[in-house]
Amino acid sequence: MNKLETYHTFYFVGIGGIGMSALARYFHALGKTVVGYDKTNTKLTQQLMSEGIDIVFEDLIDEKITSLQKEGTLIIYTPAIKKLDILDYFNKKSFKVKKRAKVLGLITENTDCIAVAGTHGKTTTSTLISHLCKEADLPFSCFLGGISENFKSNFLYNGTDYSVVEADEYDRSFLTLSPDWAIITSTDADHLDIYGDKNTIEEGFRQFAALVPEDKKLFVRKGIDIGRDHQTYAVNEKADYYSDNLRMDYDKIYFDFHTPTETVKDFVWETPGIHNVENATVALAILHNLGVDFETLKKAIANFKGIKRRYTKHIYPNGKIYIDDYAHHPTEINAVVGSIKTFYPDKKLLVVFQPHLFSRTRDFAEGFAESLSNSDALILLDIYPARELQENFEGITSDWLLEKVTLDKKEISGLSSAFEKIKEKDFDILLTVGAGNIDTLYDPINEWLGK
């Protein structure tokens, strides 16, 4: 019996997180009672409430909490939350309390799980696979780390035969999953606050790869040593599955796709960047192995609209272009800036970047400086601390990082004054980039440029 079937009420501590809200939507779709707490009211929590999920924003032990019965109630929390009276109450009263990753792991035990791992590309790849599953009408549920522009959510319920999940390496969460099919896009160093060094993170990915049963398939970006049998994929080089003959026509990319036995020509794809053609290649490989025909896949990939805050682009009547992206690692910033420079080589690029975490800024300072120096002008925002305390990272500031950037046109700004500074600048393309609360600039910028 599914261990989750014994619960009728699910209380989410930190319900507004992207991974938590997808789980909340899943249990809500199953007809369970879903309630939760978050410290901030955001667009996402407002959407959850409009869908019928009850959320509070104060850390108080009120009647709603004291009336919950221990039997039949599961408390789900995110490791991003450190200390809360609500969580203390549930622990003291001996409620069943589980980490988000553990609950996702239980769901994957009872489905054919397609798990996407990697330090970059997880969200685009898993969202594309979900879109292709939906267009092919496969019975699946997906749990995404971003909002799909096609179905305007980070969750979709279309049955329970398959689950599509992001296998998150943070906190080694991905080791709780039961993947039947898996992808590893990249094993670059990241989350060094958890892993310590690059070798340890690579070992974590090898442990994840070992979870895939021998009779199912593991797809790994060519060139990554994962320590077991797997299928390779690549772009512009031969692999078990690969794409080549890339042609750009304004905002569209055309490519040919190769399986071990056949070639299918002229896929059309609107998401820029070679790295995104890689993501499309492995998504096609998975769906081909699930038995979906290429005619369906061609149509589906051509109408994929992408993910909110993953190269979200607007072109305005005055010719200016605004791109917003979630990139928060030097490799990701290089990919975004590289795509912009490929499509628009002669246009002046202004980058507004918000570093995410003091530890990441410290660990990859040289890489950040190099990738940001590829722009024409830079506004560098204060570091977004998320779960970290500044006093533990003496000397790690945006000023310290800015000194390493080799641009003439560069400056520091707080988030609150950034919009006014942007308005004074001369640019053809504006890129806002980062994983913190820089997304609050999106609506004002879009409205201003639209005028």
Side-chain angles (χ1 to χ4, degrees), residues 279-290:
N279 297 334
T281 301
V282 72
L284 290 170
I286 286 269
L287 270 289
H288 171 66
N289 277 273
L290 293 180

Side-chain angles (χ1 to χ4, degrees), residues 248-253 269-272 313 315 343-344:
M248 289 184 196
D249 178 16
Y250 191 52
D251 277 4
K252 288 185 167 68
I253 296 174
W269 173 241
E270 286 193 28
T271 309
K313 182 173 72 176
I315 300 175
F343 275 107
Y344 309 104

Side-chain angles (χ1 to χ4, degrees), residues 114-131:
I114 302 164
V116 184
T119 39
H120 323 294
K122 283 191 293 291
T123 302
T124 302
T125 307
S126 54
T127 305
L128 176 58
I129 288 169
S130 303
H131 170 68

Side-chain angles (χ1 to χ4, degrees), residues 353-369:
F353 174 56
Q354 183 186 48
H356 185 264
L357 298 178
F358 297 107
S359 58
R360 189 182 277 127
T361 306
R362 175 198 65 202
D363 295 338
F364 302 108
E366 303 305 326
F368 280 124

Side-chain angles (χ1 to χ4, degrees), residues 52-87:
I53 293 172
D54 194 9
I55 302 174
V56 297
F57 300 97
E58 285 183 278
D59 183 18
L60 294 173
I61 312 304
D62 60 10
E63 195 193 334
K64 279 181 184 169
I65 287 184
T66 54
S67 65
L68 287 171
Q69 299 299 307
K70 201 162 56 175
E71 295 308 313
T73 300
L74 179 63
I75 313 305
I76 302 171
Y77 75 100
T78 165
I81 284 188
K82 296 298 177 214
K83 181 115 183 67
L84 273 184
D85 291 343
I86 289 174
L87 204 49

Side-chain angles (χ1 to χ4, degrees), residues 184-228:
I184 296 174
T185 63
S186 50
T187 57
D188 288 357
D190 197 5
H191 301 302
L192 297 184
D193 53 330
I194 301 286
Y195 290 94
D197 58 38
K198 188 168 169 31
N199 289 343
T200 311
I201 196 165
E202 286 173 355
E203 179 52 36
F205 279 103
R206 281 193 281 274
Q207 289 170 357
F208 169 73
L211 298 174
V212 182
E214 291 294 338
D215 61 336
K216 292 296 171 86
K217 281 195 175 154
L218 169 68
F219 297 86
V220 181
R221 170 72 178 87
K222 191 176 179 181
I224 296 173
D225 173 22
I226 213 65
R228 61 158 286 177

